[in-house]
């Protein structure tokens, strides 16, 4: 009977002292929770948890809100950084496009300069030929003028000489006529 009493006493004590597992909810935290992002589990008082993760960090509400604010600020800064990088990338793309168009314009300008250069060389060649022809014509004209000048000097001398000869002949005829009379 002592044994029965002892057993009854243990059963009654165990029901009084022990928690009832039927009324408690056991929450299992899976191992994948360690790699999860987002809101953490909120732990309730008088609940049972089974952690399958290698590490568990307990943080009070104040610390959690502070960490959450830092996280939100970091995300906003990341958004600002992302926007800044996107704007920089857009500006860089636009500058690359402008550089390409500038190269195209320089190429066109160089080809136009080459065309202008070629045309200028052709015009200069034609001008040089025209100047050479003009110089040749001037030399011919100068030679012709020299011939004409020499011819006119000879003609003047000839006419002066003829006049002198006519004067001498007239004087000689007058002397002859005067002597003969």
């Amino acid at each position: 009977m002592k044994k029965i009493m002892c057993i009854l006493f243990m059963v009654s004590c165990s029901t009084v002292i022990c928690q009832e597992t039927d009324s408690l909810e056991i929450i299992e935290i899976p191992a994948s929770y360690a790699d999860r992002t987002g809101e953490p589990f909120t732990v309730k008082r008088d609940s049972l948890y089974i952690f399958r993760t290698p590490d568990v960090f307990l943080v009070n509400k104040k610390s959690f809100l502070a960490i959450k604010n830092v996280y939100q600020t970091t995300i906003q800064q990341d958004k600002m950084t992302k926007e800044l990088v996107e704007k920089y990338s857009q500006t860089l793309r636009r500058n690359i496009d402008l550089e390409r168009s500038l190269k195209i314009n320089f190429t066109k300008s160089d080809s136009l300069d080459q065309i202008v250069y070629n045309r200028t060389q052709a015009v200069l060649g034609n001008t040089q030929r025209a100047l050479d022809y003009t110089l040749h014509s001037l030399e011919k004209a100068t030679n012709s003028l020299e011939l004409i000048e020499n011819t006119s000097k000879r003609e003047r001398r000839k006419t002066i000489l003829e006049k002198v000869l006519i004067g001498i002949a007239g004087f000689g005829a007058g002397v002859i006529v005067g002597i003969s009379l």
Side-chain angles (χ1 to χ4, degrees), residues 49-67:
Y49 295 92
I50 297 175
F51 293 98
R52 305 281 183 214
T53 61
D55 297 316
V56 176
F57 299 97
L58 296 176
V59 179
N60 63 16
K61 189 172 185 174
K62 252 185 176 178
S63 297
F64 172 73
L65 292 175
I67 291 170

Side-chain angles (χ1 to χ4, degrees), residues 85-98:
V85 167
E86 286 176 4
K87 286 183 181 180
Y88 177 76
S89 298
Q90 288 173 353
T91 303
L92 188 61
R93 274 186 245 114
R94 188 180 65 215
N95 287 345
I96 288 171
D97 291 340
L98 289 174

Side-chain angles (χ1 to χ4, degrees), residues 8 36 67 70 83 86-87 101 162:
L8 279 174
R36 184 177 84 99
I67 291 170
V70 168
E83 289 174 3
E86 286 176 4
K87 286 183 181 180
S101 355
E162 285 177 355

Side-chain angles (χ1 to χ4, degrees), residues 5-147:
M5 281 288 262
C6 198
I7 292 175
L8 279 174
F9 179 70
M10 284 173 44
V11 170
S12 65
C13 281
S14 68
T15 57
V16 170
I17 293 174
C18 295
Q19 293 180 351
E20 293 181 23
T21 57
D22 294 339
S23 66
L24 292 177
E25 183 180 342
I26 297 175
I27 301 171
E28 183 177 340
I29 308 294
S32 63
Y33 181 73
D35 296 326
R36 184 177 84 99
T37 57
E39 291 290 323
F41 284 121
T42 305
V43 177
K44 301 290 185 194
R45 192 169 30 161
D46 295 335
S47 297
L48 294 176
Y49 295 92
I50 297 175
F51 293 98
R52 305 281 183 214
T53 61
D55 297 316
V56 176
F57 299 97
L58 296 176
V59 179
N60 63 16
K61 189 172 185 174
K62 252 185 176 178
S63 297
F64 172 73
L65 292 175
I67 291 170
K68 186 176 180 180
N69 284 339
V70 168
Y71 178 74
Q72 291 295 329
T73 304
T74 304
I75 287 175
Q76 288 176 353
Q77 287 177 351
D78 284 347
K79 286 179 184 176
M80 287 177 14
T81 304
K82 185 178 179 182
E83 289 174 3
L84 187 65
V85 167
E86 286 176 4
K87 286 183 181 180
Y88 177 76
S89 298
Q90 288 173 353
T91 303
L92 188 61
R93 274 186 245 114
R94 188 180 65 215
N95 287 345
I96 288 171
D97 291 340
L98 289 174
E99 183 182 0
R100 285 182 189 145
S101 355
L102 192 60
K103 282 182 181 179
I104 291 169
N105 287 341
F106 278 145
T107 305
K108 287 179 182 177
S109 176
D110 285 345
S111 65
L112 289 175
D113 288 344
Q114 187 64 36
I115 291 169
V116 168
Y117 175 77
N118 292 340
R119 286 185 181 171
T120 304
Q121 289 293 11
V123 167
L124 285 175
N126 292 338
T127 305
Q128 184 66 38
R129 283 192 294 275
L131 285 174
D132 290 342
Y133 179 75
T134 304
L135 285 175
H136 184 67
S137 298
L138 283 174
E139 285 177 14
K140 282 184 178 180
T142 303
N143 290 339
S144 296
L145 285 174
E146 285 175 359
L147 287 174

Side-chain angles (χ1 to χ4, degrees), residues 141-154:
T142 303
N143 290 339
S144 296
L145 285 174
E146 285 175 359
L147 287 174
I148 291 172
E149 186 178 342
N150 290 338
T151 307
S152 71
K153 281 182 183 176
R154 270 188 266 140

